[in-house]
Amino acid sequence: GENVEQHPSTLSVQEGDSAVIKCTYSDSASNYFPWYKQELGKRPQLIIDIRSNVGEKKDQRIAVTLNKTAKHFSLHITETQPEDSAVYFCAASQSSGNTGKLIFGQGTTLQVKP
Amino acid sequence: EAQVTQNPRYLITVTGKKLTVTCSQNMNHEYMSWYRQDPGLGLRQIYYSMNVEVTDKGDVPEGYKVSRKEKRNFPLILESPSPNQTSLYFCASSLSTSGKNIQYFGAGTRLSVL
């Protein structure tokens, strides 16, 4: 079955710097890759996603890149702010079959120091 | 307001005492899932359901049961809870469309089994 590895497990950056979180997946049939943000004590919420027919997607200060050949994808946050501090989860799934099954990475705790 | 509601939010129980965590969604989503979140392990899927009366095991189903008698409800049942089931539980519903599987999470249930 699908396995998603996420690194690093913790990341500390200075406000204004960039942060990069990387994930690798094992199932080449996976074609949808979302990223979720979980603030302290809150539920995970989708912040950006990418489908396998796209190599990069950007939304303001966040971007996601996908390398299908290498089976890895990354989240990039530029000009980090204290409110970016949270746990970030990557995930992978297959849209074919419509199973609703989503495999999550282990999570990255991002701390942005003011 | 579109939402996923799970109850209770907090629960302390003792080993062997059956309990049910309820989950309800008002978005008419076909897919619903249960996850548990443990430090360093991310979000692991327990069970998921593709529609009424259709359920399947996720990655960590042992010790859990689910049912999907109605589209909006997806309760999680622990017949004989054990301390290793102490965790943070999230219910989620999702709509798989246009190659995307966007999960909407409930607020979480923090369970302690003594």
Side-chain angles (χ1 to χ4, degrees), chain A residues 3-33:
Chain A
N3 184 49
V4 178
E5 295 288 332
Q6 182 172 346
H7 299 281
S9 57
T10 60
L11 179 58
S12 181
V13 300
Q14 209 64 40
E15 182 178 0
D17 288 350
S18 294
V20 180
I21 302 170
K22 298 181 179 181
C23 289
T24 60
Y25 61 99
S26 60
D27 191 345
S28 56
S30 292
N31 54 12
Y32 174 63
F33 307 93

mmCIF file of all heavy atoms in Angstrom, chain A residues 3-33:
data_model
loop_
_atom_site.group_PDB
_atom_site.id
_atom_site.type_symbol
_atom_site.label_atom_id
_atom_site.label_comp_id
_atom_site.label_asym_id
_atom_site.label_seq_id
_atom_site.Cartn_x
_atom_site.Cartn_y
_atom_site.Cartn_z
ATOM 1 N N ASN A 3 2.704 4.591 1.110
ATOM 2 C CA ASN A 3 3.417 5.056 2.286
ATOM 3 C C ASN A 3 3.931 6.457 1.992
ATOM 4 O O ASN A 3 4.453 6.718 0.898
ATOM 5 C CB ASN A 3 4.592 4.124 2.601
ATOM 6 C CG ASN A 3 5.292 4.537 3.877
ATOM 7 O OD1 ASN A 3 4.665 4.757 4.900
ATOM 8 N ND2 ASN A 3 6.608 4.682 3.813
ATOM 9 N N VAL A 4 3.748 7.364 2.932
ATOM 10 C CA VAL A 4 4.192 8.743 2.754
ATOM 11 C C VAL A 4 5.164 9.097 3.874
ATOM 12 O O VAL A 4 4.827 8.963 5.050
ATOM 13 C CB VAL A 4 3.000 9.720 2.756
ATOM 14 C CG1 VAL A 4 3.487 11.158 2.630
ATOM 15 C CG2 VAL A 4 2.024 9.390 1.628
ATOM 16 N N GLU A 5 6.365 9.520 3.482
ATOM 17 C CA GLU A 5 7.389 9.926 4.443
ATOM 18 C C GLU A 5 7.551 11.439 4.380
ATOM 19 O O GLU A 5 7.654 12.007 3.288
ATOM 20 C CB GLU A 5 8.719 9.260 4.116
ATOM 21 C CG GLU A 5 8.706 7.739 4.251
ATOM 22 C CD GLU A 5 8.664 7.290 5.699
ATOM 23 O OE1 GLU A 5 9.156 8.044 6.571
ATOM 24 O OE2 GLU A 5 8.135 6.202 5.970
ATOM 25 N N GLN A 6 7.612 12.073 5.536
ATOM 26 C CA GLN A 6 7.662 13.538 5.600
ATOM 27 C C GLN A 6 8.863 13.972 6.441
ATOM 28 O O GLN A 6 9.128 13.425 7.507
ATOM 29 C CB GLN A 6 6.365 14.064 6.232
ATOM 30 C CG GLN A 6 6.262 15.567 6.310
ATOM 31 C CD GLN A 6 4.889 16.033 6.771
ATOM 32 O OE1 GLN A 6 3.926 15.261 6.800
ATOM 33 N NE2 GLN A 6 4.783 17.292 7.145
ATOM 34 N N HIS A 7 9.579 15.002 5.938
ATOM 35 C CA HIS A 7 10.759 15.520 6.637
ATOM 36 C C HIS A 7 10.855 17.031 6.464
ATOM 37 O O HIS A 7 10.461 17.554 5.413
ATOM 38 C CB HIS A 7 12.030 14.880 6.069
ATOM 39 C CG HIS A 7 12.071 13.407 6.227
ATOM 40 N ND1 HIS A 7 12.413 12.797 7.404
ATOM 41 C CD2 HIS A 7 11.772 12.420 5.355
ATOM 42 C CE1 HIS A 7 12.341 11.490 7.252
ATOM 43 N NE2 HIS A 7 11.957 11.229 6.014
ATOM 44 N N PRO A 8 11.377 17.751 7.450
ATOM 45 C CA PRO A 8 11.801 17.248 8.766
ATOM 46 C C PRO A 8 10.610 17.096 9.707
ATOM 47 O O PRO A 8 9.513 17.519 9.379
ATOM 48 C CB PRO A 8 12.742 18.349 9.242
ATOM 49 C CG PRO A 8 12.140 19.595 8.665
ATOM 50 C CD PRO A 8 11.577 19.196 7.325
ATOM 51 N N SER A 9 10.822 16.546 10.868
ATOM 52 C CA SER A 9 9.733 16.423 11.832
ATOM 53 C C SER A 9 9.520 17.740 12.578
ATOM 54 O O SER A 9 8.407 18.042 13.001
ATOM 55 C CB SER A 9 10.014 15.294 12.823
ATOM 56 O OG SER A 9 11.245 15.522 13.485
ATOM 57 N N THR A 10 10.588 18.516 12.735
ATOM 58 C CA THR A 10 10.477 19.847 13.323
ATOM 59 C C THR A 10 11.327 20.804 12.511
ATOM 60 O O THR A 10 12.362 20.416 11.952
ATOM 61 C CB THR A 10 10.928 19.877 14.802
ATOM 62 O OG1 THR A 10 12.292 19.469 14.871
ATOM 63 C CG2 THR A 10 10.077 18.961 15.654
ATOM 64 N N LEU A 11 10.878 22.047 12.443
ATOM 65 C CA LEU A 11 11.571 23.061 11.663
ATOM 66 C C LEU A 11 11.390 24.404 12.360
ATOM 67 O O LEU A 11 10.262 24.805 12.654
ATOM 68 C CB LEU A 11 10.991 23.111 10.248
ATOM 69 C CG LEU A 11 11.558 24.117 9.254
ATOM 70 C CD1 LEU A 11 13.055 23.891 9.061
ATOM 71 C CD2 LEU A 11 10.829 24.008 7.927
ATOM 72 N N SER A 12 12.487 25.062 12.627
ATOM 73 C CA SER A 12 12.435 26.362 13.274
ATOM 74 C C SER A 12 13.099 27.382 12.361
ATOM 75 O O SER A 12 14.227 27.170 11.919
ATOM 76 C CB SER A 12 13.155 26.312 14.634
ATOM 77 O OG SER A 12 13.084 27.556 15.285
ATOM 78 N N VAL A 13 12.390 28.472 12.056
ATOM 79 C CA VAL A 13 12.924 29.506 11.173
ATOM 80 C C VAL A 13 12.686 30.871 11.796
ATOM 81 O O VAL A 13 11.811 31.033 12.667
ATOM 82 C CB VAL A 13 12.285 29.455 9.762
ATOM 83 C CG1 VAL A 13 12.547 28.110 9.104
ATOM 84 C CG2 VAL A 13 10.790 29.748 9.824
ATOM 85 N N GLN A 14 13.430 31.826 11.320
ATOM 86 C CA GLN A 14 13.257 33.204 11.771
ATOM 87 C C GLN A 14 12.167 33.846 10.915
ATOM 88 O O GLN A 14 12.058 33.545 9.707
ATOM 89 C CB GLN A 14 14.581 33.965 11.613
ATOM 90 C CG GLN A 14 14.801 35.086 12.585
ATOM 91 C CD GLN A 14 14.909 34.632 14.028
ATOM 92 O OE1 GLN A 14 15.509 33.615 14.347
ATOM 93 N NE2 GLN A 14 14.315 35.417 14.906
ATOM 94 N N GLU A 15 11.384 34.694 11.527
ATOM 95 C CA GLU A 15 10.346 35.411 10.782
ATOM 96 C C GLU A 15 10.949 36.077 9.548
ATOM 97 O O GLU A 15 11.994 36.718 9.617
ATOM 98 C CB GLU A 15 9.688 36.455 11.677
ATOM 99 C CG GLU A 15 8.566 37.228 11.011
ATOM 100 C CD GLU A 15 7.905 38.217 11.951
ATOM 101 O OE1 GLU A 15 8.318 38.305 13.130
ATOM 102 O OE2 GLU A 15 6.969 38.908 11.518
ATOM 103 N N GLY A 16 10.267 35.875 8.422
ATOM 104 C CA GLY A 16 10.736 36.461 7.172
ATOM 105 C C GLY A 16 11.531 35.486 6.317
ATOM 106 O O GLY A 16 11.672 35.700 5.099
ATOM 107 N N ASP A 17 12.057 34.431 6.939
ATOM 108 C CA ASP A 17 12.790 33.423 6.175
ATOM 109 C C ASP A 17 11.803 32.484 5.474
ATOM 110 O O ASP A 17 10.605 32.535 5.714
ATOM 111 C CB ASP A 17 13.698 32.607 7.108
ATOM 112 C CG ASP A 17 14.894 33.411 7.582
ATOM 113 O OD1 ASP A 17 15.128 34.533 7.042
ATOM 114 O OD2 ASP A 17 15.589 32.936 8.494
ATOM 115 N N SER A 18 12.358 31.624 4.616
ATOM 116 C CA SER A 18 11.541 30.623 3.934
ATOM 117 C C SER A 18 11.607 29.295 4.673
ATOM 118 O O SER A 18 12.566 29.013 5.396
ATOM 119 C CB SER A 18 12.049 30.426 2.501
ATOM 120 O OG SER A 18 11.866 31.589 1.740
ATOM 121 N N ALA A 19 10.562 28.493 4.481
ATOM 122 C CA ALA A 19 10.515 27.154 5.069
ATOM 123 C C ALA A 19 10.141 26.159 3.980
ATOM 124 O O ALA A 19 9.286 26.458 3.135
ATOM 125 C CB ALA A 19 9.495 27.099 6.200
ATOM 126 N N VAL A 20 10.799 25.012 4.011
ATOM 127 C CA VAL A 20 10.523 23.974 3.026
ATOM 128 C C VAL A 20 10.303 22.646 3.743
ATOM 129 O O VAL A 20 11.101 22.249 4.594
ATOM 130 C CB VAL A 20 11.679 23.808 2.016
ATOM 131 C CG1 VAL A 20 11.341 22.711 1.004
ATOM 132 C CG2 VAL A 20 11.961 25.125 1.320
ATOM 133 N N ILE A 21 9.213 21.987 3.402
ATOM 134 C CA ILE A 21 8.891 20.673 3.975
ATOM 135 C C ILE A 21 8.773 19.693 2.809
ATOM 136 O O ILE A 21 8.139 20.012 1.797
ATOM 137 C CB ILE A 21 7.569 20.716 4.760
ATOM 138 C CG1 ILE A 21 7.646 21.763 5.885
ATOM 139 C CG2 ILE A 21 7.248 19.341 5.345
ATOM 140 C CD1 ILE A 21 6.315 22.038 6.559
ATOM 141 N N LYS A 22 9.393 18.522 2.966
ATOM 142 C CA LYS A 22 9.449 17.582 1.851
ATOM 143 C C LYS A 22 8.749 16.273 2.190
ATOM 144 O O LYS A 22 8.800 15.805 3.332
ATOM 145 C CB LYS A 22 10.911 17.302 1.498
ATOM 146 C CG LYS A 22 11.664 18.547 1.053
ATOM 147 C CD LYS A 22 13.096 18.239 0.677
ATOM 148 C CE LYS A 22 13.799 19.508 0.215
ATOM 149 N NZ LYS A 22 15.203 19.250 -0.197
ATOM 150 N N CYS A 23 8.136 15.695 1.176
ATOM 151 C CA CYS A 23 7.453 14.401 1.333
ATOM 152 C C CYS A 23 7.779 13.492 0.159
ATOM 153 O O CYS A 23 7.928 13.979 -0.977
ATOM 154 C CB CYS A 23 5.946 14.582 1.426
ATOM 155 S SG CYS A 23 5.424 15.322 2.982
ATOM 156 N N THR A 24 7.901 12.215 0.433
ATOM 157 C CA THR A 24 8.041 11.228 -0.617
ATOM 158 C C THR A 24 6.907 10.214 -0.480
ATOM 159 O O THR A 24 6.420 9.958 0.623
ATOM 160 C CB THR A 24 9.393 10.488 -0.543
ATOM 161 O OG1 THR A 24 9.483 9.831 0.728
ATOM 162 C CG2 THR A 24 10.548 11.457 -0.683
ATOM 163 N N TYR A 25 6.493 9.667 -1.612
ATOM 164 C CA TYR A 25 5.431 8.677 -1.596
ATOM 165 C C TYR A 25 5.882 7.436 -2.349
ATOM 166 O O TYR A 25 6.814 7.490 -3.153
ATOM 167 C CB TYR A 25 4.130 9.247 -2.176
ATOM 168 C CG TYR A 25 4.211 9.697 -3.612
ATOM 169 C CD1 TYR A 25 3.758 8.895 -4.653
ATOM 170 C CD2 TYR A 25 4.719 10.956 -3.940
ATOM 171 C CE1 TYR A 25 3.812 9.318 -5.971
ATOM 172 C CE2 TYR A 25 4.779 11.386 -5.253
ATOM 173 C CZ TYR A 25 4.325 10.561 -6.270
ATOM 174 O OH TYR A 25 4.387 10.988 -7.574
ATOM 175 N N SER A 26 5.219 6.325 -2.088
ATOM 176 C CA SER A 26 5.701 5.063 -2.649
ATOM 177 C C SER A 26 4.868 4.564 -3.834
ATOM 178 O O SER A 26 5.399 3.872 -4.703
ATOM 179 C CB SER A 26 5.712 3.983 -1.560
ATOM 180 O OG SER A 26 4.404 3.779 -1.044
ATOM 181 N N ASP A 27 3.585 4.900 -3.864
ATOM 182 C CA ASP A 27 2.693 4.359 -4.883
ATOM 183 C C ASP A 27 2.649 5.273 -6.101
ATOM 184 O O ASP A 27 2.128 6.388 -6.022
ATOM 185 C CB ASP A 27 1.295 4.179 -4.293
ATOM 186 C CG ASP A 27 0.369 3.377 -5.196
ATOM 187 O OD1 ASP A 27 0.708 3.204 -6.395
ATOM 188 O OD2 ASP A 27 -0.686 2.934 -4.718
ATOM 189 N N SER A 28 3.176 4.807 -7.202
ATOM 190 C CA SER A 28 3.222 5.628 -8.412
ATOM 191 C C SER A 28 1.830 5.931 -8.963
ATOM 192 O O SER A 28 1.666 6.806 -9.813
ATOM 193 C CB SER A 28 4.064 4.939 -9.492
ATOM 194 O OG SER A 28 3.568 3.640 -9.750
ATOM 195 N N ALA A 29 0.798 5.218 -8.483
ATOM 196 C CA ALA A 29 -0.571 5.485 -8.936
ATOM 197 C C ALA A 29 -1.186 6.687 -8.220
ATOM 198 O O ALA A 29 -2.239 7.181 -8.625
ATOM 199 C CB ALA A 29 -1.442 4.253 -8.717
ATOM 200 N N SER A 30 -0.563 7.177 -7.172
ATOM 201 C CA SER A 30 -1.085 8.350 -6.466
ATOM 202 C C SER A 30 -1.054 9.544 -7.383
ATOM 203 O O SER A 30 -0.085 9.758 -8.125
ATOM 204 C CB SER A 30 -0.263 8.641 -5.210
ATOM 205 O OG SER A 30 -0.450 7.629 -4.250
ATOM 206 N N ASN A 31 -2.135 10.326 -7.364
ATOM 207 C CA ASN A 31 -2.205 11.450 -8.300
ATOM 208 C C ASN A 31 -2.788 12.724 -7.693
ATOM 209 O O ASN A 31 -3.075 13.682 -8.399
ATOM 210 C CB ASN A 31 -3.008 11.049 -9.545
ATOM 211 C CG ASN A 31 -4.372 10.495 -9.190
ATOM 212 O OD1 ASN A 31 -4.815 10.611 -8.064
ATOM 213 N ND2 ASN A 31 -5.025 9.896 -10.163
ATOM 214 N N TYR A 32 -2.979 12.723 -6.383
ATOM 215 C CA TYR A 32 -3.496 13.923 -5.729
ATOM 216 C C TYR A 32 -2.736 14.108 -4.418
ATOM 217 O O TYR A 32 -2.635 13.170 -3.617
ATOM 218 C CB TYR A 32 -5.002 13.769 -5.471
ATOM 219 C CG TYR A 32 -5.594 14.891 -4.661
ATOM 220 C CD1 TYR A 32 -5.600 16.199 -5.132
ATOM 221 C CD2 TYR A 32 -6.151 14.644 -3.408
ATOM 222 C CE1 TYR A 32 -6.133 17.227 -4.372
ATOM 223 C CE2 TYR A 32 -6.689 15.664 -2.653
ATOM 224 C CZ TYR A 32 -6.681 16.952 -3.138
ATOM 225 O OH TYR A 32 -7.212 17.965 -2.384
ATOM 226 N N PHE A 33 -2.206 15.338 -4.205
ATOM 227 C CA PHE A 33 -1.292 15.570 -3.085
ATOM 228 C C PHE A 33 -1.682 16.865 -2.362
ATOM 229 O O PHE A 33 -1.302 17.957 -2.766
ATOM 230 C CB PHE A 33 0.146 15.655 -3.593
ATOM 231 C CG PHE A 33 0.530 14.467 -4.437
ATOM 232 C CD1 PHE A 33 0.382 14.506 -5.815
ATOM 233 C CD2 PHE A 33 1.011 13.309 -3.847
ATOM 234 C CE1 PHE A 33 0.714 13.401 -6.601
ATOM 235 C CE2 PHE A 33 1.345 12.202 -4.616
ATOM 236 C CZ PHE A 33 1.194 12.246 -5.993
#
